[in-house]
Amino acid sequence: MTVHELSRTDARRIAVRAQLLDRSRPAGLLDVVRRLTLLQVDPTAAVAPNADLVAWSRLGSAGYSPADLTAALADRTLLELQAMIRPGEDLALYRAEMAEWPERGTPSSWREYHRKWVAANDACRRDILDRLGAAGPLPSRELPDTCELPWKSSGWTNNRNVTKLLELMVQRGEVAVAGRRGGDRLWDLAERVYPDAPAVPVEEALRIRDERRLRALGIARARGPECQVEPADVGEAGEPAVVEGVRGEWRVDPDRLGQPFAGRAALLSPFDRLIHDRKRTTELFGFDYQLEMYKPVAKRRWGYFALPILYGDRLVGKLDATADRKAGVLRVNAIHEDVPFTKTMSVEIRTELEDLARWLEVELLLPA
């Protein structure tokens, strides 16, 4: 098989087009999620929740309202699975993996601990199933913690036994997120949430998921670190490629090769899949970026929740902004330019900022 030789510009444009961030806008929310394969759920909303921000960055204020996502989740067109919003029909690609838990869908270093911990708390698991069967959907706080063995972690999940058990029961295909009340997930029996569709056999499902992930990314590594929910690598999907000036072999979606490119300005969530793989972001875009909300204020370079700025096929800066809902403003603290903005760039980025404020229904407040 031919190994495709790509310049970094080629690779960047393939990635931008694949992520629906070129000048051609998608048809609507469902089109976005099907083509990206997912919207990541994250509660941080310094500007807007990630799923909404990603959808807006593709569709704009005229094409997307958060009510669209609420409605799609309510009618099960879209489903929340392990903190990812996916097309309802894609559940068939995960059912067989659920049936083989924890051998499938769990990092190898955690499999035995997960198995033993769930077995030790089987009485609590059965109680949860009984309560949801009788009264669900319910938030986790209404499910009593009867776990005999506490969950041990150095992170925020330490001793959050019911929450952790529910998340593992999602992986087993027993429970599902049925909706949200405020910021709280509502849990129910999976059979009452998920569509009744036959499972795709595991190996075939993994192959299809790799192919769809590559189609959404455009270009990716064949192998990467083990990841429980959504890997950054794509196995043998696509065709081999090398990128000028970057070591190692890539996989590329051949349907993306040779397509014309017309770029635009876009403001991205810190969790956007274009930049989610920070190593790929550095290799292809030469873009230095970290989410700094966990850093002390004095150590932040770009801001609490700085939005990467895309212009054409380059990541050109970071926007430090906060949506102050009470004051009714989108407060721009700073725009950090990685490269000097031309007049045309400034105008187009300002237009995107104005659209963001319009979508948020607040006034744009720029620094003096």
PDB file of all heavy atoms in Angstrom, residues 347-358:
ATOM      1  N   VAL A 347     -10.548  41.226  12.105  1.00  0.00           N
ATOM      2  CA  VAL A 347     -11.961  41.457  11.771  1.00  0.00           C
ATOM      3  C   VAL A 347     -12.744  40.156  11.855  1.00  0.00           C
ATOM      4  O   VAL A 347     -13.840  40.103  12.440  1.00  0.00           O
ATOM      5  CB  VAL A 347     -12.084  42.089  10.370  1.00  0.00           C
ATOM      6  CG1 VAL A 347     -13.532  42.059   9.896  1.00  0.00           C
ATOM      7  CG2 VAL A 347     -11.554  43.519  10.377  1.00  0.00           C
ATOM      8  N   GLU A 348     -12.199  39.079  11.304  1.00  0.00           N
ATOM      9  CA  GLU A 348     -12.923  37.808  11.296  1.00  0.00           C
ATOM     10  C   GLU A 348     -13.030  37.207  12.695  1.00  0.00           C
ATOM     11  O   GLU A 348     -14.065  36.635  13.057  1.00  0.00           O
ATOM     12  CB  GLU A 348     -12.250  36.822  10.337  1.00  0.00           C
ATOM     13  CG  GLU A 348     -12.374  37.243   8.876  1.00  0.00           C
ATOM     14  CD  GLU A 348     -11.905  36.161   7.925  1.00  0.00           C
ATOM     15  OE1 GLU A 348     -12.057  34.969   8.250  1.00  0.00           O
ATOM     16  OE2 GLU A 348     -11.383  36.517   6.852  1.00  0.00           O
ATOM     17  N   ILE A 349     -11.982  37.345  13.492  1.00  0.00           N
ATOM     18  CA  ILE A 349     -12.033  36.842  14.869  1.00  0.00           C
ATOM     19  C   ILE A 349     -13.010  37.681  15.697  1.00  0.00           C
ATOM     20  O   ILE A 349     -13.775  37.147  16.511  1.00  0.00           O
ATOM     21  CB  ILE A 349     -10.617  36.840  15.482  1.00  0.00           C
ATOM     22  CG1 ILE A 349      -9.758  35.779  14.781  1.00  0.00           C
ATOM     23  CG2 ILE A 349     -10.673  36.575  16.986  1.00  0.00           C
ATOM     24  CD1 ILE A 349      -8.276  35.896  15.056  1.00  0.00           C
ATOM     25  N   ARG A 350     -13.016  38.985  15.485  1.00  0.00           N
ATOM     26  CA  ARG A 350     -13.986  39.856  16.166  1.00  0.00           C
ATOM     27  C   ARG A 350     -15.420  39.467  15.776  1.00  0.00           C
ATOM     28  O   ARG A 350     -16.317  39.430  16.631  1.00  0.00           O
ATOM     29  CB  ARG A 350     -13.712  41.310  15.804  1.00  0.00           C
ATOM     30  CG  ARG A 350     -14.779  42.317  16.242  1.00  0.00           C
ATOM     31  CD  ARG A 350     -14.869  42.452  17.756  1.00  0.00           C
ATOM     32  NE  ARG A 350     -15.891  43.406  18.128  1.00  0.00           N
ATOM     33  CZ  ARG A 350     -15.648  44.703  18.392  1.00  0.00           C
ATOM     34  NH1 ARG A 350     -14.419  45.188  18.310  1.00  0.00           N
ATOM     35  NH2 ARG A 350     -16.636  45.501  18.736  1.00  0.00           N
ATOM     36  N   THR A 351     -15.654  39.133  14.507  1.00  0.00           N
ATOM     37  CA  THR A 351     -16.985  38.709  14.067  1.00  0.00           C
ATOM     38  C   THR A 351     -17.408  37.433  14.772  1.00  0.00           C
ATOM     39  O   THR A 351     -18.568  37.285  15.183  1.00  0.00           O
ATOM     40  CB  THR A 351     -16.989  38.491  12.539  1.00  0.00           C
ATOM     41  OG1 THR A 351     -16.676  39.727  11.888  1.00  0.00           O
ATOM     42  CG2 THR A 351     -18.343  37.996  12.061  1.00  0.00           C
ATOM     43  N   GLU A 352     -16.472  36.505  14.953  1.00  0.00           N
ATOM     44  CA  GLU A 352     -16.781  35.252  15.655  1.00  0.00           C
ATOM     45  C   GLU A 352     -17.077  35.524  17.134  1.00  0.00           C
ATOM     46  O   GLU A 352     -17.978  34.922  17.728  1.00  0.00           O
ATOM     47  CB  GLU A 352     -15.609  34.284  15.513  1.00  0.00           C
ATOM     48  CG  GLU A 352     -15.937  32.839  15.799  1.00  0.00           C
ATOM     49  CD  GLU A 352     -16.805  32.180  14.757  1.00  0.00           C
ATOM     50  OE1 GLU A 352     -17.143  32.819  13.732  1.00  0.00           O
ATOM     51  OE2 GLU A 352     -17.163  31.004  14.963  1.00  0.00           O
ATOM     52  N   LEU A 353     -16.339  36.457  17.719  1.00  0.00           N
ATOM     53  CA  LEU A 353     -16.596  36.859  19.113  1.00  0.00           C
ATOM     54  C   LEU A 353     -17.991  37.456  19.254  1.00  0.00           C
ATOM     55  O   LEU A 353     -18.717  37.155  20.216  1.00  0.00           O
ATOM     56  CB  LEU A 353     -15.562  37.892  19.546  1.00  0.00           C
ATOM     57  CG  LEU A 353     -14.453  37.459  20.501  1.00  0.00           C
ATOM     58  CD1 LEU A 353     -13.486  38.602  20.709  1.00  0.00           C
ATOM     59  CD2 LEU A 353     -15.040  36.996  21.825  1.00  0.00           C
ATOM     60  N   GLU A 354     -18.367  38.280  18.335  1.00  0.00           N
ATOM     61  CA  GLU A 354     -19.699  38.893  18.378  1.00  0.00           C
ATOM     62  C   GLU A 354     -20.788  37.834  18.236  1.00  0.00           C
ATOM     63  O   GLU A 354     -21.840  37.911  18.886  1.00  0.00           O
ATOM     64  CB  GLU A 354     -19.821  39.948  17.270  1.00  0.00           C
ATOM     65  CG  GLU A 354     -18.954  41.176  17.514  1.00  0.00           C
ATOM     66  CD  GLU A 354     -18.881  42.108  16.316  1.00  0.00           C
ATOM     67  OE1 GLU A 354     -19.323  41.680  15.221  1.00  0.00           O
ATOM     68  OE2 GLU A 354     -18.380  43.240  16.464  1.00  0.00           O
ATOM     69  N   ASP A 355     -20.531  36.822  17.402  1.00  0.00           N
ATOM     70  CA  ASP A 355     -21.507  35.745  17.250  1.00  0.00           C
ATOM     71  C   ASP A 355     -21.602  34.923  18.534  1.00  0.00           C
ATOM     72  O   ASP A 355     -22.690  34.478  18.918  1.00  0.00           O
ATOM     73  CB  ASP A 355     -21.130  34.843  16.076  1.00  0.00           C
ATOM     74  CG  ASP A 355     -22.255  33.886  15.721  1.00  0.00           C
ATOM     75  OD1 ASP A 355     -23.293  34.352  15.215  1.00  0.00           O
ATOM     76  OD2 ASP A 355     -22.122  32.674  15.977  1.00  0.00           O
ATOM     77  N   LEU A 356     -20.479  34.722  19.207  1.00  0.00           N
ATOM     78  CA  LEU A 356     -20.497  33.996  20.486  1.00  0.00           C
ATOM     79  C   LEU A 356     -21.345  34.749  21.506  1.00  0.00           C
ATOM     80  O   LEU A 356     -22.170  34.153  22.211  1.00  0.00           O
ATOM     81  CB  LEU A 356     -19.065  33.819  20.997  1.00  0.00           C
ATOM     82  CG  LEU A 356     -18.902  33.148  22.368  1.00  0.00           C
ATOM     83  CD1 LEU A 356     -19.526  31.757  22.379  1.00  0.00           C
ATOM     84  CD2 LEU A 356     -17.415  33.082  22.756  1.00  0.00           C
ATOM     85  N   ALA A 357     -21.151  36.062  21.598  1.00  0.00           N
ATOM     86  CA  ALA A 357     -21.957  36.860  22.531  1.00  0.00           C
ATOM     87  C   ALA A 357     -23.433  36.820  22.159  1.00  0.00           C
ATOM     88  O   ALA A 357     -24.311  36.715  23.039  1.00  0.00           O
ATOM     89  CB  ALA A 357     -21.444  38.301  22.550  1.00  0.00           C
ATOM     90  N   ARG A 358     -23.722  36.874  20.869  1.00  0.00           N
ATOM     91  CA  ARG A 358     -25.119  36.807  20.399  1.00  0.00           C
ATOM     92  C   ARG A 358     -25.746  35.468  20.799  1.00  0.00           C
ATOM     93  O   ARG A 358     -26.876  35.417  21.257  1.00  0.00           O
ATOM     94  CB  ARG A 358     -25.144  36.994  18.879  1.00  0.00           C
ATOM     95  CG  ARG A 358     -26.540  37.101  18.272  1.00  0.00           C
ATOM     96  CD  ARG A 358     -26.458  37.277  16.752  1.00  0.00           C
ATOM     97  NE  ARG A 358     -25.569  38.383  16.402  1.00  0.00           N
ATOM     98  CZ  ARG A 358     -24.420  38.249  15.741  1.00  0.00           C
ATOM     99  NH1 ARG A 358     -24.021  37.049  15.331  1.00  0.00           N
ATOM    100  NH2 ARG A 358     -23.676  39.300  15.472  1.00  0.00           N
TER     101      ARG A 358
END
